[in-house]
Amino acid sequence: MARPFHAAAAHVRRLRRSRVTAPAGGLAPAPHPWMRASGLLAVVVLGAWLGLLVVGSVRTPVGPVDTTMTLRPSVSGGTKIDVSPLGALHLDSHRAPVRLDVDVDQLDPERSQALVKHPERLAGLQDEVAGDVASGTRELAVRSCVAVVSGATALGLVVYRRPRRALAAGGLALVLLAASGVGAYATWNPKSVLEPRFSGLLSSAPSVVGDARSIVTEFDVYQQELARLVTNVTKLYDATSTLPVYQPDPATIRVLHVSDIHLNPAAWHIIGSLVEQYEIDVIIDSGDTMDHGTAAENGFLDPVRDLGAPYVWVRGNHDSEATQAHLRKTRNAHVLDQGSAVDVAGLRIAGTGDPQFTPDRTRPTGGKASEQLAGMRLASALRDQKRAGTPVDIAVAHDPNAARETDGTVPLVLAGHVHHRVNELLPLGTRLKVEGSTGGGGLRAVQNEKPEKVRASVLYLDRPTRHLQAWDEITLGGLGLTTAEVSRHLPEENLKSPSPSPPPSTTSP
């Protein structure tokens, strides 16, 4: 009797286990492999990120400053140098799912004073900074490996409660970090330091510039603060950009390219600030300074007299012949049309006005064909000047369609009209640079949901050859905003074989 009883009891236990572990339809299906893999991957990524947050930072001196280096998960990679609360430098240093964050904590008084007392050390500061960054990066790599393995293993142990699965999570985290490192190494771009991008926020700006209504009532204050913002950001860009960047020779010709002001008076304050900060030799305006081209608007051009640099101008499709005639009589202004040229600041500049005047609805517009025809006439004038032994260095047109027709006749052609930037090397070797709206689209931009950005560019040209060496793009946040960005760019041919930069000049901090 005992043996059948034990057999029956065992059978009942098997039935109970089957009822608990199996649904009515049969045995419970095992989890799909991809679900297990995705769950493990989520644990690994989260654990690695938590590990980096907790123990993945390294404090290290870089030159005269103390910094904290950290690896952070990122979609696009790159390097961010944070100078809180003033702003940050962004470098496209690599493409990988990790970003290197460098937080500038404080300026070391002893090391900075040593540079002030011994300015000759500035010549070796670049090598010192490079060595400090390399040393800090090596230490950061070791600490990051420990951080991601520890974080992923700890979280795996909490989630799975199995040491083997936890160790697998830690191993996978190490593999992912190594793969990220390989990706960063494979896409490492050492020339990214030649094109840093600065973004910052003027936190002390008054709150009266916060909305469109206050812009109208306090516009004078807004203009002054916007100009001051440009000054502060350009100074900070120079101060924080101690990496090996292009440094203009004192003899470099500096050209300020502006366009499409569209009756925004704040533009004159911005231009004046840039002229002073960058020691601009000549301003080139590629048109659309006005909105309707009426005689009543002519007084808007009065600040041209006092901008502190010669003002070269071509007519846009919103500028009338009356506008052009008024500006011809203005002191400090040089009006170009029909391929006429002027020698100013060591450059020969030629240009043509826009053949269309779109505010006049009574006359049909010629469209793209008329722009191309105007560009052909400008190109013909450029060829005539070259044959006469007076080649032109910069050509100017308002519409890019006209500007493109000058390809092969001039090294550099400037345009506007489209309210966004274009940098294009044309097939025959002419570089086309189109500037955005220096007036942020004009005061009509207040009506838009998002204000149009204010844009201008500083071009650096070598004085002996009069060729473009680099340019800085200045971008402001538009009406009512106090954000600013300054980014350095080099022509492609300079990036391929950059010439050695001179040592930084001795300046007081």
Side-chain angles (χ1 to χ4, degrees), residues 349-393:
I349 308 170
T352 188
D354 198 294
Q356 305 182 89
F357 180 54
T358 51
D360 185 0
R361 305 294 184 184
T362 64
R363 298 169 56 185
T365 58
K368 182 178 179 180
S370 66
E371 299 292 348
Q372 290 175 329
L373 181 59
M376 293 176 188
R377 291 171 177 164
L378 175 58
S380 177
L382 295 173
R383 284 189 288 267
D384 291 343
Q385 299 245 16
K386 188 174 183 178
R387 283 192 292 266
T390 56
V392 171
D393 304 308

Side-chain angles (χ1 to χ4, degrees), residues 37 59 72 83 89 96 130 134 150 158 170 180-181 212 233 256 297 306 332 358 361 367 379 397 433 483 493:
R59 290 182 58 85
R72 291 281 184 259
V83 191
L89 278 173
S150 301
V158 171
S180 300
V233 169
L256 177 62
E297 296 173 342
D306 305 312
N332 196 46
T358 51
R361 305 294 184 184
K433 288 194 62 58
T483 59
E493 57 270 23

Side-chain angles (χ1 to χ4, degrees), residues 17 35 48 52 66 99 144 160 184 208 350 370-371 376 428:
R17 284 198 296 267
M35 292 183 62
L52 287 175
D66 293 325
R99 184 187 72 215
S144 297
Y160 297 112
V208 296
S370 66
E371 299 292 348
M376 293 176 188
L428 298 181

Side-chain angles (χ1 to χ4, degrees), residues 5 8 20 51 54 57 179 195 206 224 231 246 314 327 359 377 398 496:
F5 176 78
V20 172
V54 176
S57 298
E195 297 185 307
Q224 297 172 11
T231 301
Y246 166 80
V314 298
L327 198 56
R377 291 171 177 164
H398 177 64
K496 291 176 183 176

Side-chain angles (χ1 to χ4, degrees), residues 91-408:
L91 306 176
D92 294 327
S93 56
H94 61 276
R95 297 289 178 183
V98 288
R99 184 187 72 215
L100 174 62
D101 285 0
V102 182
D103 295 330
V104 178
D105 299 327
Q106 64 180 3
L107 185 70
D108 185 270
E110 295 182 2
R111 297 199 299 272
S112 59
Q113 284 297 323
L115 286 176
V116 174
K117 293 178 181 178
H118 304 282
E120 68 275 4
R121 295 184 182 178
L122 287 172
L125 183 60
Q126 176 176 324
D127 294 334
E128 180 185 346
V129 168
D132 292 341
V133 171
S135 175
T137 304
R138 286 193 295 268
E139 184 181 351
L140 178 63
V142 174
R143 184 179 287 265
S144 297
C145 290
V146 175
V148 298
V149 171
S150 301
T153 302
L155 187 61
L157 194 60
V158 171
V159 172
Y160 297 112
R161 298 184 181 181
R162 295 179 182 177
R164 183 174 298 178
R165 297 292 294 273
L167 291 175
L172 182 58
L174 185 60
V175 170
L176 291 177
L177 181 62
S180 300
V182 171
Y185 180 79
T187 59
W188 178 249
N189 178 24
K191 295 185 177 67
S192 63
V193 297
L194 299 175
E195 297 185 307
R197 185 175 73 256
F198 175 80
S199 60
L201 174 67
L202 185 66
S203 57
S204 60
S207 59
V208 296
V209 299
D211 54 65
R213 182 178 299 176
S214 64
I215 292 173
V216 176
T217 58
E218 301 286 349
F219 194 81
D220 185 60
V221 176
Y222 172 73
Q223 294 179 102
Q224 297 172 11
E225 290 298 333
L226 203 57
R228 191 178 303 164
L229 170 63
V230 175
T231 301
N232 290 349
V233 169
T234 52
K235 283 182 177 179
L236 183 60
Y237 177 75
D238 288 338
T240 56
S241 188
T242 56
L243 295 168
V245 299
Y246 166 80
Q247 295 181 353
D249 186 88
T252 299
I253 303 173
R254 301 166 187 244
V255 177
L256 177 62
H257 183 200
V258 301
S259 190
D260 296 85
I261 293 174
H262 286 292
L263 284 181
N264 186 349
W268 300 126
H269 293 258
I270 295 168
I271 292 172
S273 176
L274 290 173
V275 167
E276 180 180 356
Q277 281 297 303
Y278 285 86
E279 300 177 352
I280 296 298
D281 296 297
V282 58
I283 306 164
I284 298 180
D285 185 342
S286 48
D288 270 7
T289 314
M290 302 303 203
D291 249 348
H292 303 94
T294 62
E297 296 173 342
N298 287 342
F300 176 74
L301 298 170
D302 291 345
V304 168
R305 304 187 187 103
D306 305 312
L307 288 177
Y311 193 83
V312 179
W313 181 87
V314 298
R315 186 180 68 251
N317 62 295
H318 281 263
D319 305 316
S320 65
E321 295 283 353
T323 302
Q324 180 165 302
H326 177 82
L327 198 56
R328 283 190 188 277
K329 303 174 185 177
T330 303
R331 176 175 52 85
N332 196 46
H334 302 271
V335 175
L336 303 179
D337 199 9
Q338 301 296 327
S340 61
V342 61
D343 293 306
V344 58
L347 296 170
R348 187 161 181 81
I349 308 170
T352 188
D354 198 294
Q356 305 182 89
F357 180 54
T358 51
D360 185 0
R361 305 294 184 184
T362 64
R363 298 169 56 185
T365 58
K368 182 178 179 180
S370 66
E371 299 292 348
Q372 290 175 329
L373 181 59
M376 293 176 188
R377 291 171 177 164
L378 175 58
S380 177
L382 295 173
R383 284 189 288 267
D384 291 343
Q385 299 245 16
K386 188 174 183 178
R387 283 192 292 266
T390 56
V392 171
D393 304 308
I394 301 177
V396 191
H398 177 64
D399 195 299
N401 290 310
R404 284 189 171 89
E405 297 300 321
T406 66
D407 186 19

